[in-house]
Amino acid sequence: MEVAGLPISPSQRGKLISAGYTTISSLTSLSPHHLARDLNIPEEEAVQILGAAASHNSRLDTSDGGHSIVNGAQTAWDMFREEQSSLRITTSCADFDNILGGGINCKEVTEIGGVPGIGKTQLGIQLAVNVQIPMGLGGLGAKAVYIDTEGSFMVERATQIAEASISDMLEYNNHLAKQNRVCQVKFKPSDILENIFYFRVCSYTEQMALINHLEKFISDHKDVKIVIVDSVTFHFRQDFEDLALRTRLLNGMALKLMNLAKTFNVAVIAGHIPAQIGSSCTGTRMSEMHT
Amino acid sequence: MNKVWVSIWRENRLGTKAMAEKLIKDMGLSKAMANVFAARNITTAKEALSLTEFELMQLLDVGMAEVSSALSRISEIACPPYQTALNLMEQRVHKEDHGGHLPTGLKGLDEALCGGIPFGVLTELVGPPGIGKTQLCMKLSLLASLPTTYGGLNGHVIYIDVESKFSSKRMIEIGVQSFPDIFNMKGVVQEMAGRILVLRPTTLSKFTESLQQIKLSLLQRPVKLIVIDSIAAIMSGDFAQGASRQNLLGWHVSFIKSLAESSRIPIVVTNQVRSQTREEGSQYSFQAQRTDDLSGYDSHLVAALGINWAHSVTIRLVLEAKSGQRFIKLAKSPLSPPFAFPFIITSAGISLLNDYGTELKGMEINRIHQHGHSDIINFDGKGCSDKRRNPT
């Protein structure tokens, strides 16, 4: 393994190579002090380099006893078990939920595509409300992040959906009460609206920044279980001459969204405008990455 | 000329996207890190965020940890603030007239739209020629200039009249017929009509110029409505087809949308129809179906300006004619189900025949009919005189 693969700065890499450390294995038995002297760098930097090398090694090592042979890997059985127990958000449509295996999956990026006016935004708003159905009624009792790139989020419509959802919950509650399993529903539409965090994004830079920042935002607001981006590609379709840059940014963003979904166990919904024929292949690239 | 123009709109973008252009040196990064960014000529958040972490590491020659902490700081500053939906709601209800809507005076339509044409978004009127798009635009302009007590917004109106179809005489007629009690007061006609500013750009570059002027005048006057009649005419004017036109359109769309949003006013835009070609039918599966089961030539009509534009408008109202009857249809709206209302045009402008409407299903929602359209126009011409006597 070459040192070129280590996540360290180019000047450090240069120093390593010129001092003769070309492979990672040549770094394994070194003390930081030794390395610092050889490379003529401060000891903290040497510690950092060795840390990078060590973490790189452990990824390939057959360490970590237990059942996993390669670190970070999972057996298919574990995956199956995990999928069985994973959190789902209902779409309010039983048949659709069945097809999806119980609803929109947390931990995954789900893409919604379609022609204008077909109802992408509606589904987005619906999910932002549905994620708040309390645990006692089979929901998640969580909060939602709504990222609006097109300005199409309508707070009036969100109120309507919230009202309808509350009356549904009350009805279900009456049904449960008959079986002596009472669950308190003391929701008002305003409570539901309060749990939707709305971000209005006006440029692709803001979008990139927000998606970077989401990690921090969600760690501060742990009860967020769904992130809705409506729509992912809107700003990337306006005035982009550098198509390579556009593809790179979109791919990077898709990876970040997937990572977010995995780490925080949130569902990510990406509303998406289908690519026009002849305009570019970004659409298909995005789609390939989504599950 | 094209190049100069492009550079103008570039500069203009910088103005509207202040957040993204924020300087890295003002973001509170550590002195050393800020200097590293400055030395590599990365001065704005936009530039930094257009690179991946690894590219930045290469370029700046610093370690992974520093790069990611710097990036997260930059992202935190550059990312827009959030509001809860409840906040949004309260703002609309307390601060804006009629809860953030311009009532159209057409009861059924207003109910379906939760109070009228919403502020801050783009509303499109699309339909065949002569169906009543301009009539509706003139009525809306009047309504926006009326005092609040009469259901208006008590503001100024900017009317961009591309095809020279705006008629002040007709507008005053609509006003006098629909609101006789105010318009018969002395001086009111002059005051109301004086609030409506009509612009007649002849080329795309003049149109762009006026948009930029509008942006300034929004700060000086209480403008409550902008009408653009029609966007298709100006876009299909002198400019090239294909990709470059889509690019220009894309810019205009973002600009118009940002106008609507930053000043929280409704913007109404009319669009033309064009006939659909067969190849297009097979391009999208949803349209292919449409061409298969069509029974007359009228369902070949589609809205002009393409799918990109269609995605950008928030509300699309289709005006159409079916078996000799005019309908206004909510073809795209996040607020309401797809209702169709029959309407007629009288001396008092557009009025609905009933306020219940019919709910549409499936293909009917997006279709634009022109069936028996020529009959109506001719009929209206002849029957105009008796309608004038009893406006509905």
Side-chain angles (χ1 to χ4, degrees):
Chain A
M1 214 40 207
E2 302 278 323
V3 288
L6 283 181
I8 52 174
S9 73
S11 65
Q12 288 173 340
R13 195 179 305 144
K15 282 177 189 161
L16 272 180
I17 293 170
S18 59
Y21 297 104
T22 49
T23 61
I24 291 174
S25 53
S26 64
L27 290 173
T28 44
S29 51
L30 279 179
S31 72
H33 179 70
H34 191 115
L35 187 67
R37 206 188 51 214
D38 271 10
L39 268 58
N40 200 12
I41 52 173
E43 208 154 308
E44 303 90 75
E45 263 186 58
V47 172
Q48 196 192 339
I49 294 175
L50 288 178
S55 67
H56 191 90
N57 266 341
S58 70
R59 239 179 285 163
L60 304 166
D61 259 358
T62 55
S63 59
D64 201 7
H67 51 272
S68 81
I69 300 170
V70 182
N71 209 5
Q74 252 185 326
T75 65
W77 175 249
D78 287 341
M79 283 174 80
F80 175 72
R81 290 277 298 277
E82 207 170 88
E83 268 168 43
Q84 290 285 303
S85 63
S86 70
L87 302 174
R88 302 273 179 172
I89 302 162
T90 174
T91 59
S92 294
C93 171
D95 289 339
F96 191 30
D97 280 352
N98 282 342
I99 294 168
L100 291 170
I104 302 282
N105 200 350
C106 291
K107 282 198 172 183
E108 271 178 10
V109 180
T110 307
E111 180 185 14
I112 306 172
V115 297
I118 199 76
K120 302 183 291 294
T121 303
Q122 299 293 312
L123 189 52
I125 300 176
Q126 177 91 56
L127 288 168
V129 171
N130 283 356
V131 76
Q132 302 181 38
I133 297 173
M135 302 258 194
L137 297 176
L140 301 183
K143 295 181 179 177
V145 166
Y146 198 103
I147 302 174
D148 189 6
T149 65
E150 298 182 32
S152 58
F153 180 81
M154 289 277 154
V155 73
E156 291 92 343
R157 182 62 184 148
T159 318
Q160 289 172 357
I161 294 178
E163 277 162 4
S165 169
I166 287 168
S167 74
D168 271 1
M169 285 193 272
L170 286 173
E171 199 175 299
Y172 187 57
N173 210 24
N174 288 340
H175 180 71
L176 287 183
K178 279 179 203 147
Q179 303 167 13
N180 292 326
R181 289 164 51 205
V182 186
C183 167
Q184 282 297 313
V185 179
K186 37 183 186 195
F187 265 138
K188 288 196 301 286
S190 59
D191 297 335
I192 289 190
L193 293 184
E194 201 172 9
N195 287 339
I196 300 175
F197 300 112
Y198 173 83
F199 289 90
R200 177 72 176 98
V201 169
C202 299
S203 71
Y204 79 87
T205 315
E206 278 185 34
Q207 192 172 337
M208 300 296 297
L210 176 55
I211 284 170
N212 285 337
H213 179 62
L214 267 185
E215 200 166 320
K216 187 153 178 276
F217 184 84
I218 296 178
S219 1
D220 292 347
H221 300 81
K222 280 262 189 286
D223 40 4
V224 168
K225 279 281 169 246
I226 191 165
V227 174
I228 298 147
V229 191
D230 179 23
S231 74
V232 169
T233 46
F234 181 75
H235 291 301
F236 291 88
R237 295 169 69 83
Q238 319 291 335
D239 78 302
F240 245 99
E241 275 127 63
D242 187 349
L243 290 184
L245 171 66
R246 172 164 100 166
T247 314
R248 212 163 58 222
L249 289 177
L250 270 175
N251 286 348
M253 197 163 59
L255 285 174
K256 276 178 191 149
L257 288 175
M258 278 160 74
N259 196 21
L260 206 66
K262 285 224 177 64
T263 345
F264 293 98
N265 198 11
V266 297
V268 177
I269 308 294
H272 170 245
I273 303 170
Q276 207 166 21
I277 302 215
S279 78
S280 88
C281 61
T282 355
T284 37
R285 285 306 264 302
M286 271 312 262
S287 315
E288 276 163 20
M289 290 187 148
H290 291 172
T291 37
Chain B
M1 183 242 163
N2 207 345
K3 264 207 180 129
V4 173
W5 200 83
V6 165
S7 74
I8 291 174
W9 67 254
R10 276 270 166 67
E11 274 164 35
N12 204 48
R13 274 194 95 84
L14 297 185
T16 56
K17 311 274 151 93
M19 204 68 132
E21 305 299 328
K22 217 163 186 180
L23 294 177
I24 286 178
K25 67 176 163 59
D26 304 332
M27 287 188 177
L29 290 175
S30 71
K31 192 102 191 168
M33 204 60 196
N35 286 339
V36 171
F37 273 102
R40 295 296 180 283
N41 232 344
I42 301 179
T43 48
T44 62
K46 182 175 181 170
E47 286 161 347
L49 291 169
S50 299
L51 296 164
T52 64
E53 287 177 0
F54 274 92
E55 281 170 329
L56 271 179
M57 257 173 66
Q58 291 288 348
L59 207 61
L60 303 180
D61 191 12
V62 287
M64 188 75 179
E66 282 105 323
V67 167
S68 31
S69 78
L71 266 186
S72 74
R73 178 71 192 153
I74 294 172
S75 300
E76 193 178 339
I77 304 273
C79 103
Y82 79 89
Q83 278 184 301
T84 65
L86 184 65
N87 277 343
L88 277 180
M89 186 73 181
E90 279 168 351
Q91 270 175 23
R92 307 263 152 105
V93 172
H94 297 308
K95 290 199 186 144
E96 289 171 357
D97 303 325
H98 309 294
H101 293 271
L102 165 63
T104 62
L106 309 172
K107 201 166 149 247
L109 193 64
D110 282 346
E111 274 167 18
L113 287 171
C114 299
I117 311 273
F119 292 5
V121 300
L122 225 58
T123 301
E124 181 193 23
L125 306 176
V126 57
I131 193 76
K133 300 186 291 294
T134 305
Q135 299 290 322
L136 186 51
C137 285
M138 290 194 285
K139 183 151 190 188
L140 289 175
S141 311
L142 262 180
L143 284 165
S145 63
L146 279 184
T148 333
T149 40
Y150 289 92
L153 298 178
N154 201 18
H156 288 247
V157 176
I158 295 179
Y159 196 108
I160 302 182
D161 181 27
V162 179
E163 292 163 308
S164 299
K165 287 191 303 199
F166 179 85
S167 149
S168 47
K169 199 175 150 208
R170 173 67 178 136
M171 197 193 69
I172 290 166
E173 185 191 8
I174 295 176
V176 172
Q177 294 290 338
S178 5
F179 308 99
D181 29 333
I182 3 176
F183 273 81
N184 288 336
M185 279 190 275
K186 208 176 163 233
V188 168
V189 174
Q190 196 187 348
E191 201 197 327
M192 291 298 130
R195 288 178 174 180
I196 298 168
L197 200 73
V198 182
L199 289 167
R200 291 205 158 131
T202 43
T203 61
L204 186 61
S205 47
K206 285 220 179 97
F207 174 63
T208 315
E209 226 170 85
S210 11
L211 278 183
Q212 278 156 3
Q213 283 167 4
I214 287 172
K215 200 178 170 193
L216 293 178
S217 65
L218 284 181
L219 300 173
Q220 295 156 1
R221 293 166 197 234
V223 173
K224 288 293 167 72
L225 174 71
I226 297 177
V227 178
I228 301 171
D229 183 22
S230 78
I231 189 94
I234 198 81
M235 292 312 297
S236 49
D238 47 0
F239 258 88
Q241 292 289 310
S244 75
R245 196 182 89 173
Q246 282 300 325
N247 242 339
L248 284 178
L249 183 63
W251 178 80
H252 282 96
V253 172
S254 334
F255 192 85
I256 296 169
K257 280 184 92 140
S258 77
L259 271 186
E261 221 164 294
S262 56
S263 43
R264 292 288 309 155
I265 52 169
I267 295 193
V268 175
V269 174
T270 67
N271 191 4
Q272 301 167 340
V273 290
R274 60 176 179 84
S275 49
Q276 189 187 19
T277 53
R278 225 159 233 292
E279 302 90 77
E280 278 176 312
S282 50
Q283 194 171 324
Y284 302 105
S285 54
F286 71 101
Q287 285 174 333
Q289 241 171 318
R290 199 196 286 187
T291 37
D292 288 341
D293 67 319
L294 88 175
S295 45
Y297 283 106
D298 63 354
S299 50
H300 274 298
L301 292 176
V302 289
L305 297 180
I307 199 142
N308 243 348
W309 164 261
H311 274 295
S312 317
V313 296
T314 309
I315 292 179
R316 169 174 272 181
L317 298 173
V318 170
L319 284 79
E320 59 166 13
K322 213 157 76 183
S323 1
Q325 174 63 57
R326 292 175 206 248
F327 285 94
I328 185 165
K329 203 157 74 170
L330 282 155
K332 177 187 179 186
S333 161
L335 290 172
S336 41
F339 275 124
F341 300 94
F343 72 91
I344 49 167
I345 298 179
T346 64
S347 53
I350 282 188
S351 54
L352 297 186
L353 290 177
N354 68 54
D355 291 323
Y356 325 112
T358 34
E359 198 169 341
L360 302 169
K361 286 206 176 97
M363 291 297 162
E364 273 304 305
I365 300 170
N366 284 307
R367 249 182 218 168
I368 302 174
H369 293 277
Q370 204 186 359
H371 188 60
H373 179 46
S374 49
D375 297 348
I376 319 180
I377 292 186
N378 293 338
F379 169 76
D380 271 11
K382 275 182 265 158
C384 210
S385 52
D386 29 271
K387 278 213 183 112
R388 234 164 243 233
R389 256 177 264 129
N390 7 287
T392 350

